[in-house]
Amino acid sequence: MTAAGTAQVDATARAAAPAYDRADWASAFRNVGVELEGVELTAARGTIPPGLVGTLYRNGPGRLERGGHWVHHPFDGDGMITSLRFADGQAQLRNRFVRTEGWLAEEQADRVLYRGVFGTQKPGGVLANAFDLRLKNIANTHVVRLGEQLLALWEAAEPHALDPDSLETRGLSRLEGLLKPGEAFSAHPRFDPGHHGGPRMVTFGVKTGPSSTIRLLEFASADQPAAAGLPAVQAGQVLADSSHRFKGFAFLHDFAITPNWAVFLQNAVAFNPTGFVLGQKGAAQCLSSKPGEAGQFWLIPREGGSQAGRQPLQIPAPEGFVFHHLNAFEDGATGELVVDSIVYPDFPSIAPGVDFRAVDFDTIPAGQLLRCRLDLAAGTARSELLEPRTCEFAMVNPARVGLEARYAWMAVTEAEQGNAPLQAIEKLDLLTGERRLWSAAPRGFVSEPVMVPRPGVTAVGSSAEVSSAEVGVAEVGLAEDSGWVLCLVWNGARCASDLVILDAASLAEVAVLELPLAIPHGLHGSWAQA
């Protein structure tokens, strides 16, 4: 594993770097056979920063095979939560499977009992799978702290509540009756840093069909004392709840927020469930792009914002498919709403009969970071490329969510062109285009980076009373990138996982913790303050 340090990686050195070994990348796809309880960790290199205090939670598939029957796609694997707790320059590791109803049933039976959304079939062929439309809530996509609960999220159903310390599963949560049985609850919430008086978790659920309904929900993400005639608010308390109907089928994994808008991108896709019903495909394999058709931005006014009470807006989107957004903000100088997204030229999928461990990356569409400027008055959009290198899992400083940000951190390929596994972390200056790179190549493979601001340092302009129009990007300066970037890395040389701590400003390596655990390539994670 190599580090770029404080300088940008030299293009000649990148070109000379050996290509990744597919066996190293594929070796991460395995079953996790152990659950660790509070293992103390020391840094193999460097020193854990004393100011890093809190818990990194990660979610992802930890069970990919039963009785020799492998999932067709890793996204169908059972969810496993990993926590790394930091305090006083020390770290403690814990991992635990989410005890979902399906996981418990399959553990007891010791065989696959459910089909998977992304193409996994039960043993027995078409006859065993036809007309079995049950979906197992695998709780494998994201994990967030909300009040006294840790929520393991899977976007097609309710969350599972866990103990934030022990990671023990408390059970399926309908959030005190807020959700109906089986109601979708997004696996990609956004955390508002305080645009409406206090920090909030903003999320959604979507009911799809010929017309789709989005339910937009906002929760207090921290206790707020009574002030200015307003009652006290407890973390987890619902603060806003509204539903909005749109024409067309919606495939929505992520969204973005500004102080006044929730921003969704309805991809131009069609859904034909015949193959799923007949036991030939997974539900996600029944999605297909509509060539030549534009997606739609769906803009929903947030309750409490300046646009509250206004009807939602629809604006045609440029061609492409989006899983994840980086951020959005309202440009006070132009009146435009700006959305930064990772855009694919087509819907990426693994065809039936293809082993995901042997997939040809050259045949899979590659994601690139694009900026789209929405003219709300004219109802038009225009886009520009921000990062041509293949990338995913991008984020800004949490204090800049919904505001114009100077910096972004993301997982990228080692090579500047073409598709490949993600092997490096990039810091992108969104103002100047300057890039810094930390590389895990040739034998390391990165996951989603999580930026943790340094305690006591707040990015300028993150409060409710300061807008991005009033605070120039240059004024944010070093405060915005003061902190650390945490990333789980699959180390092909060890056949195990490392936790890498980088300086957020320079991407210099601060510490590497070699975990006594092999964590498969994962999905999303979050940071919770102590």
Side-chain angles (χ1 to χ4, degrees):
M1 185 175 298
T2 59
T6 59
Q8 296 187 57
V9 174
D10 180 78
T12 303
R14 277 198 301 269
Y20 71 93
D21 187 324
R22 178 181 294 277
D24 281 337
W25 171 76
S27 65
F29 294 117
R30 57 181 63 206
N31 287 338
V32 179
V34 64
E35 292 181 317
L36 302 177
E37 297 286 345
V39 176
E40 300 291 337
L41 302 175
T42 57
R45 296 199 302 273
T47 303
I48 299 172
L52 186 63
V53 181
T55 303
L56 175 68
Y57 294 106
R58 294 286 308 176
N59 197 354
R63 185 74 188 238
L64 300 170
E65 172 270 337
R66 286 185 187 275
H69 188 78
W70 282 81
V71 296
H72 174 73
H73 195 294
F75 290 178
D76 284 337
D78 292 289
M80 185 196 73
I81 309 300
T82 303
S83 71
L84 286 145
R85 179 161 295 177
F86 296 89
D88 302 319
Q90 304 294 320
Q92 189 180 80
L93 170 69
R94 179 176 274 105
N95 74 297
R96 197 166 179 85
F97 280 92
V98 184
R99 265 63 174 173
T100 67
E101 180 182 351
W103 184 88
L104 291 169
E106 291 186 335
E107 282 287 294
Q108 183 176 2
D110 195 27
R111 60 189 177 92
V112 174
L113 301 175
Y114 297 87
R115 303 170 67 186
V117 169
F118 286 88
T120 302
Q121 302 285 66
K122 297 184 299 180
V126 172
L127 290 178
N129 291 276
F131 305 106
D132 183 355
L133 307 184
R134 298 173 301 158
L135 294 178
K136 180 174 66 167
N137 184 337
I138 47 181
N140 74 352
T141 310
H142 204 347
V143 55
V144 297
R145 180 79 181 261
L146 184 62
E148 296 304 312
Q149 295 192 107
L150 188 67
L151 299 179
L153 304 176
W154 183 65
E155 61 200 23
E158 311 99 311
H160 282 78
L162 313 177
D163 183 281
D165 298 321
S166 69
L167 304 184
E168 291 183 5
T169 303
R170 293 172 175 171
L172 201 65
S173 174
R174 298 198 174 101
L175 302 174
E176 299 183 356
L178 188 68
L179 302 177
K180 297 177 182 177
E183 184 174 354
F185 189 79
S186 171
H188 219 299
R190 292 285 174 170
F191 285 84
D192 181 323
H195 300 310
H196 297 289
R200 296 186 177 191
M201 184 182 89
V202 187
T203 191
F204 69 96
V206 59
K207 184 177 180 181
T208 61
S211 291
S212 299
T213 300
I214 294 176
R215 186 181 184 188
L216 188 64
L217 295 156
E218 304 201 15
F219 300 84
S221 58
D223 292 338
Q224 301 168 29
L230 298 175
V233 173
Q234 291 186 326
Q237 182 176 332
V238 63
L239 302 176
D241 182 358
S242 61
S243 294
H244 310 270
R245 189 167 182 172
F246 299 88
K247 291 182 179 180
F249 176 83
F251 179 91
L252 302 172
H253 171 64
D254 191 13
F255 75 129
I257 59 171
T258 72
N260 298 306
W261 298 96
V263 184
F264 297 86
L265 177 53
Q266 176 206 22
N267 292 293
V269 296
F271 179 67
N272 181 351
T274 303
F276 176 58
V277 173
L278 297 180
Q280 300 165 336
K281 297 180 178 181
Q285 292 176 310
C286 296
L287 294 170
S288 60
S289 297
K290 295 180 178 180
E293 289 194 25
Q296 293 281 325
F297 281 105
W298 292 346
L299 310 181
I300 299 176
R302 291 180 58 189
E303 294 184 29
S306 66
Q307 305 299 313
R310 184 176 177 178
Q311 288 298 309
L313 300 178
Q314 292 186 232
I315 296 177
E319 286 192 36
F321 184 91
V322 172
F323 280 119
H324 296 122
H325 303 285
L326 166 64
N327 192 33
F329 65 93
E330 299 164 34
D331 189 332
T334 65
E336 297 170 318
L337 193 153
V338 183
V339 188
D340 295 339
S341 311
I342 295 171
V343 180
Y344 295 80
D346 197 359
F347 173 61
S349 64
I350 298 176
V354 175
D355 186 340
F356 66 86
R357 293 163 294 184
V359 69
D360 182 356
F361 280 89
D362 290 336
T363 66
I364 299 177
Q368 297 174 308
L369 184 63
L370 269 69
R371 168 161 291 180
C372 198
R373 290 185 167 272
L374 309 183
D375 186 324
L376 305 190
T380 58
R382 54 188 175 91
S383 62
E384 60 178 308
L385 183 65
L386 296 180
E387 177 51 75
R389 186 192 298 258
T390 299
C391 60
E392 253 297 354
F393 301 129
M395 74 172 299
V396 298
N397 184 312
R400 302 302 300 177
V401 171
L403 300 173
E404 186 171 10
R406 174 77 181 260
Y407 303 110
W409 294 266
M410 66 196 78
V412 301
T413 53
E414 172 70 9
E416 291 187 3
Q417 297 179 342
N419 202 2
L422 303 171
Q423 291 192 277
I425 300 299
E426 179 180 287
K427 176 194 177 189
L428 174 63
D429 187 322
L430 295 167
L431 178 64
T432 67
E434 179 187 5
R435 295 163 176 80
R436 292 179 181 270
L437 203 74
W438 177 89
S439 176
R443 305 199 68 183
F445 303 86
V446 304
S447 59
E448 175 188 62
V450 175
M451 192 275 175
V452 179
R454 193 179 303 274
V457 177
T458 302
V460 176
S462 62
S463 62
E465 66 272 13
V466 182
S467 70
S468 56
E470 296 166 327
V471 178
V473 176
E475 292 182 65
V476 177
L478 294 178
E480 186 180 335
D481 61 359
S482 181
W484 304 277
V485 172
L486 309 184
C487 184
L488 278 178
V489 176
W490 176 254
N491 188 327
R494 293 200 310 118
C495 276
S497 300
D498 298 337
L499 188 282
V500 176
I501 304 173
L502 306 175
D503 179 82
S506 65
L507 286 197
E509 187 179 284
V510 176
V512 175
L513 283 64
E514 295 183 345
L515 309 185
L517 188 63
I519 304 173
H521 298 301
L523 296 171
H524 296 299
S526 61
W527 174 260
Q529 293 295 132

